[in-house]
Amino acid sequence: MNRPTLLILSATALLLAQAAQAAAKPCDELKAEIAAKLDEKGVKNYEIAAVENDKVGEAKVIGSCDGGTKKLTYLRK
């Protein structure tokens, strides 16, 4: 294999591994990370909830967790 092809394959593998790791993240961990970012930006009066995929309702989906079995939703209060 030539060098550019190997580099492209390595980069693709790295991106796929990161995507798989993010999808498997526990809901509490992801929820805390997102809440910290919102707090840093000064966002107030919001609620982040982990809900079953079919129970999202009118809330905005901001992430997926527990291996894709749940969605994190965001609601302004």
Side-chain angles (χ1 to χ4, degrees):
M1 236 180 255
N2 61 27
R3 191 171 179 97
T5 303
L6 185 57
L7 182 61
I8 290 171
L9 288 175
S10 296
T12 302
L14 180 62
L15 289 173
L16 289 174
Q18 287 175 337
Q21 182 181 12
K25 190 170 282 200
C27 290
D28 290 337
E29 183 180 335
L30 185 57
K31 184 177 171 181
E33 289 176 9
I34 292 171
K37 289 178 184 178
L38 292 173
D39 292 344
E40 280 179 18
K41 294 180 184 236
V43 177
K44 305 273 189 228
N45 301 320
Y46 65 89
E47 179 181 339
I48 298 174
V51 298
E52 298 296 325
N53 288 337
D54 60 347
K55 307 238 189 293
V56 171
E58 295 182 24
K60 180 178 180 179
V61 175
I62 58 172
S64 178
C65 53
D66 284 352
T69 62
K70 293 186 179 177
K71 301 284 187 210
L72 282 183
T73 59
Y74 170 88
L75 282 172
R76 297 271 307 173
K77 291 182 183 181

